[in-house]
Amino acid sequence: MLGTIINTITIVTGTIIGNTLKRGIKEEYRHVLFNAMGLAAVALGFNAVSNNLPKSQYPVLFIVSLAVGGLAGTMLNIDGWFREVTSRIGTSSNLAQGLSTGILLYCIGTLSIVGPVMSALYGDNTYLFTNATLDLVTSAVLATTYGIGMLWAAPVLFLWQGAIYLLTSLAGNIIPTTLVTELSIVGGVLIAASGFSILGIKDCKATNMLPALVVPVIFFLLKSLF
């Protein structure tokens, strides 16, 4: 768990640094950072998709996942609920947008998924330390735009990686690389969608599409049973 603890601490540290720097940044410069974060999210999302889609054994699965997950999330109105909750805990009116983007960036990706597995099986924290370094920078930039409320992404990351670590410790290497590939594709699309929302190009309501990440897991579970 050392790698996950370090990763969580770097997000807290980066958020505090970014929020502190925010006070001395003019509004026009914050706008530039806001756009930079949106562009970075789009680029990272597209990169995740382009890197993993050629390796996918089920190239249609991400389309089904987005469709089914998006419908489920819209029916549950996850975006509306998320915005209502974040409006009570943060001073930024866009905190919900920032948190959804941050959580996706921190949690969905090869480093954040494979990292706890490698840590649990072999005591190798290389992936998690690398992820922590990236998250330190990302959290600082996000906090300059969305404020101290971005700290709420830290416990989400801890629970996410902690759950993967615990499951792997109890059951061995139960997360196949093919599942990581599919999750990375779906996650990449959601990260890019968050970027479009930040840039004001299209409000895709990426939060409503979060259930799409569950669809590949269900698919692989069913596949293992039959």
Side-chain angles (χ1 to χ4, degrees):
M1 286 291 288
L2 176 62
T4 293
I5 293 171
I6 296 297
N7 201 165
T8 304
I9 291 173
T10 57
I11 291 176
V12 172
T13 304
T15 301
I16 293 173
I17 292 173
N19 186 67
T20 302
L21 293 175
K22 176 183 178 181
R23 300 169 188 171
I25 299 177
K26 295 181 179 179
E27 186 61 35
E28 59 184 303
Y29 298 149
R30 291 184 194 174
H31 184 68
V32 171
L33 290 173
F34 190 79
N35 286 338
M37 198 64 251
L39 290 170
V42 171
L44 289 170
F46 283 165
N47 181 64
V49 174
S50 63
N51 283 342
N52 289 282
L53 193 56
K55 298 184 290 185
S56 174
Q57 296 180 15
Y58 311 96
V60 181
L61 180 57
F62 86 97
I63 300 174
V64 175
S65 299
L66 291 170
V68 174
L71 285 172
T74 301
M75 291 173 65
L76 294 171
N77 192 25
I78 296 176
D79 184 73
W81 174 82
F82 196 60
R83 289 180 185 277
E84 182 180 348
V85 171
T86 53
S87 67
R88 298 175 182 175
I89 63 175
T91 55
S92 171
S93 60
N94 293 321
L95 180 59
Q97 185 181 68
L99 272 176
S100 61
T101 302
I103 289 170
L104 285 168
L105 287 172
Y106 300 149
C107 297
I108 306 303
T110 303
L111 293 174
S112 194
I113 297 174
V114 177
V117 173
M118 296 295 289
S119 179
L121 292 177
Y122 310 110
D124 183 1
N125 290 305
T126 304
Y127 280 87
L128 290 174
F129 289 157
T130 303
N131 198 54
T133 304
L134 295 172
D135 288 348
L136 176 66
V137 178
T138 303
S139 58
V141 175
L142 283 169
T144 59
T145 303
Y146 299 107
I148 197 66
M150 289 301 299
L151 281 174
W152 287 97
V156 175
L157 173 92
F158 181 81
L159 292 173
W160 167 257
Q161 291 186 357
I164 296 174
Y165 181 94
L166 181 61
L167 286 172
T168 304
S169 299
L170 294 175
N173 193 1
I174 61 171
I175 302 179
T177 55
T178 48
L179 174 56
V180 175
T181 297
E182 301 305 326
L183 286 174
S184 296
I185 295 171
V186 176
V189 174
L190 297 186
I191 291 171
S194 293
F196 288 138
S197 297
I198 292 173
L199 293 170
I201 297 174
K202 171 70 175 178
D203 186 4
C204 301
K205 295 189 182 301
T207 312
N208 272 347
M209 302 180 74
L210 285 176
L213 292 165
V214 180
V215 177
V217 177
I218 295 174
F219 172 79
F220 276 83
L221 284 174
L222 293 175
K223 182 173 175 291
S224 67
L225 295 175
F226 299 100

